[in-house]
Amino acid sequence: MRLLKATAEACANIAFIKYWGNRDHERRLPANSSLSMNLAALRTRTTVEFRRDLESDTVQVDGRELGGKALDRVVSHLDRIRSLHGTLREKALVVSENSFPADAGLASSASGFAALTVAAAAAAGLGLRTDELSRLSRYGSGSACRSVPGGFVAWDAHDEDDRSFGRTVAPVGHWDLRDVIAIVDPAAKEVGSTEGHRLADSNPFQKARLEGSTGRYRAAVSALLARDWDRLAAVIEEDALALHAVMMTSRPSLLYWQPGTLAVMRAVRGWKAQGLQVAFTIDAGPNVHCICTAAATGEIEAMLASVPGVMHILSSGVGGPAVVLSSSWAGG
Ligand code: DP6
């Protein structure tokens, strides 16, 4: 059997309606549906080469070799792809580069596992459709399933594995929204999302969050499709705050905010009151994503630079789907 080598690229995504908690942790079947926008400026490019001369999977991210749990997570994902293939036993050399600064605290499991899945599936010659690639990415990292299709992507919550994947609800050109990201602390988070999702199970506030989640998800999809900024902005902030209420009240408590986080949230509220089209959202970390219309972007970028605690700013428009950039016969 001749072996292939393939390179793929995927965007990170920012959720307007957040994924938090699983109905099935092993298979990453989410507790609620989520909605996100792919980020064109935050991409991961990954090459996977299955080689006969390797004794174990080797993974490099931004020039550093992975070890420990981070490596185990990638190896498990490669094992899934080898078992889907059936007879592929060879170990892989995985080389991954992020387009955004490694020290910005934005390292994304979404773009990482989407690019890994698409590259490894191509290298293994699996010939999967977009929905199948999305579903497979979900096993590596839940939010990665939303980075496989392009534009604005919904991930529906289902009990059945084969119905839980990301699908485009509006293409890249639907609405020129931007994400202006205020980096207030570039340090890696102490508690990652995988552990956080599990903590939600025993938190009574998660029940209240989930009760409102379907309504917020529907409102966000309909506001997005109608390009209704005011409705979308309101639900984005409400959903992010519901997420952080759950995080803060988990045991142990996950308090991701730093002083700079709150300073940006308050600044955004002030800019909104002046009529600017901007809303904040925050993932499992301290950095604040200012979602805004194209017309507001320049002003938001300029004003963010002088908010206390803001160290860097990164701006992105809407990104496309994960793509295979090249494939060729492998050397080893
Ligand atoms: C707060 O997809 O990172 O960013 O499945 O364990 O990899 P794992 O979790 P992950 O969780 C994302 C959480 C979030 C919200 C979101 O992106 O929807």
Side-chain angles (χ1 to χ4, degrees), residues 59-292:
V59 183
Q60 288 165 19
V61 178
D62 291 330
R64 283 210 212 127
E65 195 157 324
L66 287 193
K69 282 189 182 163
L71 174 65
D72 293 346
R73 194 168 167 184
V74 174
V75 170
S76 305
H77 204 56
L78 290 166
D79 284 342
R80 269 178 213 117
I81 285 153
R82 281 185 282 255
S83 80
L84 276 177
H85 178 278
T87 55
L88 182 64
R89 299 276 174 273
E90 282 72 16
K91 302 297 180 190
L93 172 63
V94 177
V95 179
S96 193
E97 303 279 343
N98 291 308
S99 71
F100 43 91
D103 62 357
L106 293 171
S108 158
S109 62
S111 56
F113 276 96
L116 174 71
T117 304
V118 173
L126 296 185
L128 299 179
R129 296 187 310 262
T130 303
D131 60 321
E132 292 169 326
L133 287 167
S134 171
R135 204 178 99 202
L136 184 54
S137 301
R138 192 196 80 217
Y139 277 81
S141 170
S143 56
C145 81
R146 297 189 311 239
S147 281
V148 174
F152 299 90
V153 178
W155 171 22
D156 293 312
H158 276 293
D159 287 325
E160 297 101 82
D161 172 79
D162 59 354
R163 292 179 69 190
S164 190
F165 52 82
R167 60 184 168 84
T168 297
V169 288
V172 174
H174 170 71
W175 196 359
D176 187 6
L177 293 182
R178 310 286 173 86
D179 181 6
V180 183
I181 311 168
I183 312 296
V184 300
D185 181 355
K189 51 197 173 203
E190 283 158 30
V191 178
S193 305
T194 306
E195 212 177 319
H197 290 296
R198 287 184 186 270
L199 295 178
D201 287 346
S202 56
N203 183 334
F205 289 85
Q206 170 75 342
K207 188 170 170 278
R209 175 184 163 270
L210 291 176
E211 272 166 18
S213 175
T214 309
R216 287 192 297 275
Y217 168 77
R218 290 200 183 125
V221 171
S222 105
L224 172 70
L225 294 178
R227 300 187 193 85
D228 181 337
W229 172 259
D230 291 342
R231 273 205 297 146
L232 183 64
V235 78
I236 286 176
E237 288 193 4
E238 197 184 318
D239 193 79
L241 292 170
L243 166 71
H244 283 268
V246 170
M247 290 166 160
M248 287 176 192
T249 53
S250 290
R251 290 189 182 143
S253 164
L254 306 176
L255 181 57
Y256 290 111
W257 297 359
Q258 295 291 347
T261 313
L262 200 56
V264 176
M265 291 161 79
R266 289 213 171 274
V268 167
R269 289 268 162 107
W271 301 332
K272 278 173 82 174
Q274 291 164 23
L276 270 178
Q277 293 188 315
V278 58
F280 62 71
T281 187
I282 307 160
D283 281 342
N287 301 320
V288 186
H289 295 251
C290 301
I291 310 298
C292 56

